[in-house]
Amino acid sequence: YCEVRIDLAKEMALGKKRIVAQKSNLKQRRGVEEGGLGIELELVQYKRGFGRKRVLISETRDSVFTSPVGTISSKKLCDKTLGTGGQSRELEDLPLDILVKIICGVEHEDLKQLFHVSKTIREATLIAKQSHFAYSTPRKTLIFQLGRYGLDKPFDLGEDKIEAPAAPLQKRYRRINRNEDNSGVSVALFN
Amino acid sequence: MTKEMFTLKSSDGFLFVVDEAVVHQSVTLSPMVQDCAGREYPINNVTGKILNLVVEYCKNHVVVDGGDSSSSSSSGDALKKWDDEFITQMDLSTVYDLIMAANYLIIKGLFDLACQRVADEIAACKDHEEIRATLGIVSDYTAEEEAEVLKENEWAFD
């Protein structure tokens, strides 16, 4: 187990470096290279019920799969082999840009919960929030009623309790033309 | 025109013989079409188990993408159904491996499909505890840090 620990420490440093590097370069390919190496090495223990904790991988290992928070849960050290796990890959083993991509697939209301899951997930959620959710409209109930008067009803802030958590505020107030005579318009249309 | 067949070799030595249409779905592997016909092409980052799934996905997608688009909407639906069944039958650990493989081989459809599966798992969870349980994540927050995040969130999401 000693060997394992030392290697893990080395890899933690490596892992940290890698993750920093990845932050600046979010291209998938980069994640691929690193990810690729990780997969290759993981295979050795892919069989189910593989009980060995000792892993031969460490020297050639050069990937981000070692979660920088690996040592915090000592259980992880024992049960799984370095980083990826002897039997199974963990979500946090995935490169950051892939985590971001996954988080972009969740709904806005889940973002808040993701912040609490773990530091790694929070980091990825922040990035996803800034790059994706800031520019996308959350899936919510329709506030406007189109077609009633041929115009959008301005939304009543009193009724609308549900607010998109991360959408940029876009208040649009349309002029209410209820009192105006629209017959002129219809004449123009149907003449 | 005879179909060219290509042999892909997984990292643990499994061989998969596939045709050109399958290979073309991977941006990474496409160039090998010119070079490697008849030879084994090693894919060192992907195990046999995962490569098998990748090949299965690609084979299914050849029929719709490459072929004629007659009754495209119904076959599109059928394909979507197949995709859903394909991805939901796996456990999450396999899905993660599949994500990495699709990432490496650059197979966009498969990558998106697998990522969305994980996203759906997250979306199905009620709170962060459930997310942790489902995804098997151990929290690395201390009690103080967690309280801090909670405070932070309150103004961030208002």
Side-chain angles (χ1 to χ4, degrees), chain A residues 153-165:
Chain A
K153 263 170 76 181
F155 59 87
D156 185 349
L157 289 174
E159 288 167 354
D160 177 33
K161 296 281 189 282
I162 308 166
E163 196 157 76

Side-chain angles (χ1 to χ4, degrees), chain A residues 148-189:
Chain A
R148 271 276 182 90
Y149 308 99
L151 299 161
D152 292 350
K153 263 170 76 181
F155 59 87
D156 185 349
L157 289 174
E159 288 167 354
D160 177 33
K161 296 281 189 282
I162 308 166
E163 196 157 76
L169 282 173
Q170 289 175 356
K171 292 199 166 95
R172 290 194 197 108
Y173 293 103
R174 305 291 175 98
R175 226 158 37 99
I176 307 168
N177 291 329
R178 277 192 218 118
N179 297 325
E180 272 184 30
D181 179 19
N182 287 328
S183 55
V185 174
S186 47
V187 164
L189 284 174

Side-chain angles (χ1 to χ4, degrees), chain A residues 28 32 35-36 39-40 43 46 69 88-91 98 101-102 105 110 113 115-119 122, chain B residues 11 44-45 47 93 96-97 100 103-104 111-112 116 119 123 127-128 132 135-136 140-141 145 150 152-153:
Chain A
Q28 273 189 5
V32 163
I39 294 179
E40 164 192 6
L43 325 171
Y46 212 53
V69 298
S88 57
R89 187 189 299 281
E90 298 290 333
L91 181 71
I98 292 189
K101 159 82 183 163
I102 290 174
D110 299 306
Q113 289 305 324
F115 271 85
H116 293 279
V117 175
S118 78
K119 287 182 186 161
R122 176 164 171 257
Chain B
S11 51
N44 295 322
N45 307 317
T47 62
S93 170
Y96 301 149
D97 287 332
M100 294 306 302
N103 191 26
Y104 173 70
F111 182 73
D112 289 344
Q116 193 55 50
D127 57 21
H128 62 278
R132 278 193 207 137
L135 303 181
D140 48 354
Y141 284 122
E145 285 169 338
L150 193 65
E152 221 175 76
N153 270 356

Side-chain angles (χ1 to χ4, degrees), chain B residues 38-70:
Chain B
R39 296 206 309 263
E40 283 172 13
Y41 187 88
I43 302 181
N44 295 322
N45 307 317
V46 188
T47 62
K49 172 181 168 179
I50 301 301
L51 192 54
N52 186 34
L53 294 168
V54 172
V55 168
E56 196 183 334
Y57 175 88
C58 291
K59 279 185 178 163
N60 258 273
H61 279 250
V62 166
V63 175
V64 177
D65 298 341
D68 48 24
S69 50
S70 57

Side-chain angles (χ1 to χ4, degrees), chain A residues 128-151:
Chain A
K129 185 162 176 268
Q130 285 151 17
S131 63
H132 175 82
F133 288 97
Y135 303 105
S136 68
T137 315
R139 179 186 48 119
K140 288 296 176 194
T141 52
L142 208 57
I143 317 167
F144 293 131
Q145 298 213 358
L146 293 169
R148 271 276 182 90
Y149 308 99
L151 299 161

Side-chain angles (χ1 to χ4, degrees), chain B residues 78-149:
Chain B
L79 187 65
K80 186 163 187 317
K81 190 155 175 282
W82 186 91
D83 280 351
D84 285 341
E85 282 174 21
F86 176 71
I87 203 72
T88 45
Q89 79 192 0
M90 317 175 188
D91 59 65
L92 278 182
S93 170
T94 309
V95 176
Y96 301 149
D97 287 332
L98 207 56
I99 290 177
M100 294 306 302
N103 191 26
Y104 173 70
L105 296 169
I106 311 182
I107 304 171
K108 184 172 183 341
L110 180 57
F111 182 73
D112 289 344
L113 183 68
C115 286
Q116 193 55 50
R117 161 81 201 277
V118 183
D120 291 342
E121 290 284 336
I122 295 174
C125 297
K126 288 195 296 293
D127 57 21
H128 62 278
E129 300 283 352
E130 209 179 324
I131 296 176
R132 278 193 207 137
T134 308
L135 303 181
I137 296 173
V138 178
S139 171
D140 48 354
Y141 284 122
T142 61
E144 294 86 25
E145 285 169 338
E146 184 132 17
E148 211 179 293
V149 174

Side-chain angles (χ1 to χ4, degrees), chain A residues 99-117:
Chain A
L99 282 177
V100 173
K101 159 82 183 163
I102 290 174
I103 291 170
C104 286
V106 307
E107 296 297 331
H108 282 72
E109 51 260 23
D110 299 306
L111 286 184
K112 196 169 177 181
Q113 289 305 324
L114 282 168
F115 271 85
H116 293 279
V117 175

